[in-house]
Amino acid sequence: MMTRLLVLSLALSFIMSPAMVWAERVWDSELKRYLTEQEMSMAEVFLSEEEAVKLMFPRSERIKKYILRVPTDKKMAIEERIGWKFPEDAFEVYIGETGTQVDGYALAQNTIGKHKPMTYMVGVDAHGRVSNVELLVFRETRGSEVRTKRFNAQYEGKTVLDPVRINKDIINISGATMSVRSMSAGVKRVLVLIDEFYLKPAGLGSDTVAIRKSEKGIFGSIFGN
């Protein structure tokens, strides 16, 4: 009886193992092969979250950390603004302050690159402009060039009113398209979150900017400026 059970167990393991291994395999269309186990488990760490926060607020007197919870109705409105759906309904937000003034905001992002998520932090100043982007952890085999300042500096100064998209206002990196798309999408999400939850309530959001631009246009047409 024991012999039969042992044979059956071995037979089942032989049948199931290839299927389990196959389910975990990921095909890379650019490399034209399956990624190796080492490639799938790799994670290159460039910065810790604490180190990234210091880079976001180099001159702030204090940095506070908050949990931003996004209600379902608000989440749907944000998803409509950025053009894609996301699973998170809460985010960790860092706010840098000096005296009574807010210096800016920062959020750590996890968005899918080609096969796996990459972690990066986006800083936004008190006026809603991207102040810095830093890659913390990269888990793909290629595309880590998005961490270079030569690339991510192009996000600096972007606001929620900018497209923040490849072939619009972001120049792509050959061989790293998915990483660039992922980071751009995350930067846009951060800008919208900050706009909706912090800038608009303070009268500094995109709605206020749009009204001011409209008023300036009206007065300009009246006075010929």
Side-chain angles (χ1 to χ4, degrees):
M1 183 67 178
M2 289 295 294
T3 303
R4 289 182 180 178
L5 288 174
L6 179 60
V7 171
L8 179 60
S9 176
L10 289 172
L12 286 173
S13 65
F14 178 78
I15 293 170
M16 292 175 65
S17 293
M20 292 171 65
V21 172
W22 180 267
E24 296 174 355
R25 298 176 76 187
V26 175
W27 177 264
D28 189 303
S29 58
E30 293 183 9
L31 296 177
K32 300 188 185 307
R33 63 172 174 78
Y34 287 101
L35 297 179
T36 65
E37 184 178 344
Q38 182 179 5
E39 289 172 329
M40 286 298 296
S41 63
M42 69 179 296
E44 194 170 2
V45 179
F46 298 107
L47 290 169
S48 67
E49 193 161 315
E50 292 74 17
E51 291 170 332
V53 168
K54 291 179 181 178
L55 291 175
M56 297 295 148
F57 308 107
R59 292 180 291 277
S60 294
E61 289 180 355
R62 58 190 173 277
I63 302 169
K64 297 180 179 180
K65 182 179 180 180
Y66 300 91
I67 299 298
L68 172 62
R69 303 194 183 282
V70 185
T72 302
D73 58 337
K74 197 76 167 179
K75 181 179 177 182
M76 292 175 65
I78 291 170
E79 289 175 337
E80 187 174 347
R81 286 189 68 181
I82 63 178
W84 59 284
K85 296 182 180 296
F86 53 89
E88 301 94 330
D89 55 15
F91 298 88
E92 293 182 347
V93 181
Y94 293 92
I95 301 180
E97 300 175 338
T98 299
T100 59
Q101 301 296 314
V102 171
D103 298 324
Y105 313 85
L107 277 79
Q109 295 282 290
N110 283 292
T111 52
I112 296 295
K114 189 168 187 179
H115 304 296
K116 294 177 290 183
M118 60 181 182
T119 305
Y120 52 100
M121 186 170 287
V122 181
V124 180
D125 70 17
H127 300 286
R129 298 172 301 218
V130 175
S131 56
N132 194 5
V133 177
E134 296 289 345
L135 182 63
L136 279 64
V137 184
F138 193 75
R139 301 176 179 85
E140 304 283 4
T141 55
R142 291 185 298 169
S144 62
E145 296 91 338
V146 292
R147 75 179 293 266
T148 64
K149 188 53 62 178
R150 183 174 63 178
F151 168 75
N152 61 42
Q154 64 185 317
Y155 292 109
E156 295 176 12
K158 298 296 183 187
T159 73
V160 74
L161 300 176
D162 293 307
V164 195
R165 292 177 59 188
I166 293 178
N167 300 327
K168 291 289 185 179
D169 55 345
I170 300 299
I171 298 173
N172 190 26
I173 298 176
S174 179
T177 299
M178 294 305 295
S179 295
V180 176
R181 289 188 190 281
S182 176
M183 183 169 283
S184 298
V187 169
K188 185 71 173 185
R189 179 171 64 178
V190 169
L191 286 169
V192 174
L193 285 168
I194 298 302
D195 186 53
E196 290 288 344
F197 288 94
Y198 296 98
L199 300 183
K200 282 186 176 181
L204 300 171
S206 57
D207 51 351
T208 305
V209 172
I211 291 172
R212 287 175 181 170
K213 285 186 176 181
S214 177
E215 290 175 345
K216 185 177 179 181
I218 292 172
F219 284 111
S221 62
I222 292 173
F223 297 103
N225 295 325

